[in-house]
Coordinates of all heavy atoms in Angstrom, one line a residue:
Chain F
A20 N -2.3 -26.2 29.2 CA -1.7 -25.4 28.1 C -0.4 -24.8 28.7 O -0.4 -24.5 29.9 CB -2.7 -24.4 27.7
M21 N 0.5 -24.5 27.8 CA 1.7 -23.8 28.1 C 2.2 -22.9 27.0 O 2.1 -23.4 25.9 CB 2.8 -24.8 28.5 CG 3.0 -25.3 29.9 SD 4.4 -26.3 30.1 CE 5.7 -25.1 30.5
S22 N 2.6 -21.7 27.3 CA 3.1 -20.9 26.2 C 4.1 -19.9 26.8 O 3.9 -19.5 28.0 CB 2.0 -20.1 25.5 OG 1.3 -19.3 26.4
L23 N 5.1 -19.5 26.0 CA 6.1 -18.5 26.5 C 5.5 -17.2 26.5 O 5.0 -16.7 25.5 CB 7.3 -18.6 25.5 CG 8.6 -17.9 25.9 CD1 9.2 -18.4 27.2 CD2 9.6 -18.0 24.8
L24 N 5.6 -16.5 27.7 CA 5.1 -15.1 27.9 C 6.1 -14.2 27.4 O 5.9 -13.2 26.7 CB 4.7 -14.9 29.3 CG 3.4 -15.5 29.9 CD1 3.3 -15.1 31.3 CD2 2.2 -14.8 29.1
S25 N 7.3 -14.3 28.0 CA 8.4 -13.4 27.7 C 9.7 -14.2 27.9 O 9.8 -14.9 28.9 CB 8.4 -12.2 28.6 OG 8.5 -12.5 29.9
G26 N 10.6 -14.1 26.9 CA 11.8 -14.8 27.0 C 13.0 -13.9 26.8 O 13.2 -13.4 25.7
G27 N 13.6 -13.6 27.9 CA 14.8 -12.7 27.8 C 16.1 -13.6 27.6 O 16.0 -14.8 27.6
A28 N 17.2 -12.9 27.5 CA 18.4 -13.6 27.5 C 18.8 -14.2 28.8 O 19.5 -15.2 28.9 CB 19.6 -12.6 27.1
I29 N 18.0 -13.7 29.8 CA 18.4 -14.2 31.2 C 17.3 -15.1 31.8 O 17.6 -16.2 32.3 CB 18.7 -13.0 32.1 CG1 19.9 -12.3 31.4 CG2 19.1 -13.5 33.5 CD1 20.2 -10.9 32.1
Q30 N 16.1 -14.6 31.8 CA 14.9 -15.4 32.3 C 13.9 -15.7 31.2 O 13.7 -14.9 30.3 CB 14.2 -14.6 33.4 CG 15.1 -14.6 34.7 CD 15.6 -13.3 34.9 OE1 15.1 -12.3 34.6 NE2 16.7 -13.2 35.7
Q31 N 13.2 -16.7 31.5 CA 11.9 -16.9 30.7 C 10.7 -17.1 31.6 O 10.8 -17.6 32.8 CB 12.0 -18.4 30.0 CG 13.1 -18.5 28.9 CD 13.1 -19.8 28.4 OE1 12.5 -20.8 28.8 NE2 13.9 -19.9 27.2
N32 N 9.6 -16.6 31.2 CA 8.4 -16.7 31.9 C 7.4 -17.5 31.0 O 7.1 -17.0 29.9 CB 7.7 -15.3 32.2 CG 8.6 -14.6 33.2 OD1 8.9 -15.1 34.3 ND2 9.0 -13.4 32.9
W33 N 6.9 -18.6 31.6 CA 5.9 -19.4 30.8 C 4.6 -19.3 31.4 O 4.4 -19.4 32.7 CB 6.3 -20.8 30.8 CG 7.5 -21.1 30.0 CD1 8.9 -20.9 30.4 CD2 7.6 -21.7 28.7 NE1 9.7 -21.3 29.4 CE2 8.9 -21.8 28.4 CE3 6.6 -22.1 27.8 CZ2 9.4 -22.3 27.1 CZ3 7.0 -22.6 26.6 CH2 8.4 -22.7 26.3
A34 N 3.5 -19.1 30.6 CA 2.1 -19.2 31.2 C 1.8 -20.6 31.2 O 2.0 -21.3 30.2 CB 1.2 -18.4 30.2
V35 N 1.3 -21.1 32.3 CA 1.0 -22.5 32.5 C -0.5 -22.6 33.0 O -0.8 -22.0 34.1 CB 1.9 -23.2 33.5 CG1 1.6 -24.6 33.7 CG2 3.4 -23.1 33.1
D36 N -1.3 -23.1 32.2 CA -2.7 -23.4 32.6 C -2.8 -24.8 33.2 O -2.4 -25.7 32.5 CB -3.7 -23.2 31.4 CG -3.7 -21.8 31.0 OD1 -3.3 -20.9 31.8 OD2 -4.2 -21.6 29.8
V37 N -3.4 -25.0 34.3 CA -3.6 -26.3 34.9 C -5.0 -26.5 35.4 O -5.8 -25.6 35.5 CB -2.6 -26.5 36.2 CG1 -1.1 -26.4 35.7 CG2 -2.9 -25.4 37.2
E38 N -5.2 -27.8 35.7 CA -6.4 -28.2 36.3 C -6.1 -28.9 37.6 O -5.3 -29.8 37.6 CB -7.3 -29.0 35.5 CG -8.1 -28.3 34.4 CD -9.0 -29.1 33.6 OE1 -9.2 -30.3 33.9 OE2 -9.4 -28.7 32.5
I39 N -6.7 -28.4 38.8 CA -6.5 -29.0 40.0 C -7.8 -29.5 40.5 O -8.7 -28.8 40.7 CB -5.9 -28.0 41.0 CG1 -4.6 -27.3 40.4 CG2 -5.6 -28.6 42.4 CD1 -4.2 -26.1 41.2
D40 N -8.0 -30.8 40.6 CA -9.2 -31.5 40.9 C -10.4 -30.9 40.0 O -11.4 -30.5 40.5 CB -9.6 -31.2 42.4 CG -8.5 -31.8 43.3 OD1 -7.9 -32.8 42.9 OD2 -8.2 -31.3 44.4
G41 N -10.0 -30.8 38.8 CA -11.1 -30.3 37.9 C -11.2 -28.8 37.8 O -12.0 -28.3 36.9
Q42 N -10.6 -28.0 38.7 CA -10.8 -26.6 38.8 C -9.5 -26.0 38.0 O -8.4 -26.3 38.2 CB -10.7 -26.1 40.2 CG -11.9 -26.6 41.0 CD -13.3 -26.1 40.5 OE1 -13.4 -24.9 40.3 NE2 -14.1 -27.0 40.2
P43 N -9.8 -25.0 37.1 CA -8.7 -24.4 36.3 C -8.0 -23.4 37.2 O -8.6 -22.8 38.1 CB -9.5 -23.6 35.1 CG -10.9 -23.5 35.7 CD -11.2 -24.5 36.6
A44 N -6.7 -23.3 36.9 CA -5.9 -22.3 37.6 C -4.8 -21.8 36.5 O -4.5 -22.5 35.6 CB -5.2 -22.9 38.8
Q45 N -4.4 -20.5 36.8 CA -3.5 -19.9 35.8 C -2.2 -19.6 36.6 O -2.3 -18.8 37.6 CB -4.1 -18.7 35.2 CG -5.2 -18.9 34.2 CD -6.5 -19.2 34.9 OE1 -6.9 -18.6 35.8 NE2 -7.2 -20.2 34.3
W46 N -1.1 -20.1 36.1 CA 0.2 -19.9 36.8 C 1.1 -19.3 35.8 O 1.0 -19.3 34.6 CB 0.8 -21.2 37.2 CG 0.0 -21.9 38.3 CD1 -1.0 -21.5 39.1 CD2 0.2 -23.3 38.7 NE1 -1.4 -22.4 40.0 CE2 -0.8 -23.6 39.8 CE3 1.1 -24.4 38.3 CZ2 -0.7 -24.8 40.4 CZ3 1.0 -25.6 38.9 CH2 0.1 -25.8 40.0
V47 N 2.3 -18.8 36.4 CA 3.4 -18.5 35.6 C 4.6 -19.3 36.2 O 4.9 -19.4 37.3 CB 3.8 -16.9 35.7 CG1 5.2 -16.6 35.1 CG2 2.7 -16.1 34.9
L48 N 5.4 -19.8 35.2 CA 6.6 -20.6 35.6 C 7.8 -19.7 35.2 O 7.9 -19.3 34.0 CB 6.6 -22.0 34.9 CG 7.9 -22.8 35.2 CD1 7.5 -24.3 34.9 CD2 9.0 -22.6 34.3
R49 N 8.7 -19.4 36.1 CA 9.8 -18.5 35.8 C 11.1 -19.3 36.0 O 11.3 -20.0 37.0 CB 9.7 -17.4 36.8 CG 10.8 -16.3 36.6 CD 10.4 -15.1 37.3 NE 11.5 -14.1 37.6 CZ 11.9 -13.1 36.7 NH1 11.2 -13.0 35.6 NH2 12.8 -12.3 37.0
T50 N 11.9 -19.3 34.9 CA 13.1 -20.1 35.0 C 14.2 -19.3 34.3 O 14.0 -18.3 33.7 CB 12.9 -21.4 34.3 OG1 14.0 -22.3 34.6 CG2 12.6 -21.3 32.8
D51 N 15.4 -19.8 34.5 CA 16.6 -19.2 33.8 C 16.6 -19.7 32.4 O 16.3 -20.9 32.0 CB 17.9 -19.6 34.5 CG 17.9 -19.2 35.9 OD1 17.7 -18.0 36.1 OD2 18.2 -20.0 36.8
S52 N 17.0 -18.9 31.4 CA 17.3 -19.4 30.1 C 18.4 -20.4 30.1 O 19.4 -20.1 30.7 CB 17.6 -18.1 29.1 OG 16.5 -17.3 29.0
A53 N 18.2 -21.5 29.5 CA 19.2 -22.5 29.5 C 20.5 -21.9 28.9 O 20.4 -21.0 28.1 CB 18.7 -23.7 28.8
A54 N 21.6 -22.5 29.2 CA 22.8 -22.1 28.6 C 23.3 -20.7 28.8 O 24.2 -20.1 28.3 CB 22.8 -22.3 27.0
T55 N 22.5 -20.0 29.8 CA 23.0 -18.6 30.2 C 23.7 -18.7 31.5 O 23.2 -19.3 32.4 CB 21.8 -17.7 30.4 OG1 21.0 -17.8 29.2 CG2 22.2 -16.3 30.6
L56 N 24.9 -18.2 31.5 CA 25.6 -18.0 32.7 C 25.1 -16.8 33.3 O 25.5 -15.7 33.0 CB 27.1 -17.9 32.4 CG 28.0 -19.1 33.0 CD1 29.4 -18.7 32.7 CD2 27.7 -19.3 34.4

Side-chain angles (χ1 to χ4, degrees):
Chain F
M21 267 184 90
S22 60
L23 189 61
L24 281 174
S25 59
I29 299 170
Q30 284 108 29
Q31 292 180 351
N32 291 306
W33 290 81
V35 182
D36 292 345
V37 294
E38 281 184 14
I39 306 167
D40 300 328
Q42 296 298 309
Q45 288 79 42
W46 292 347
V47 170
L48 181 153
R49 185 164 162 86
T50 188
D51 300 308
S52 294
T55 305
L56 244 184

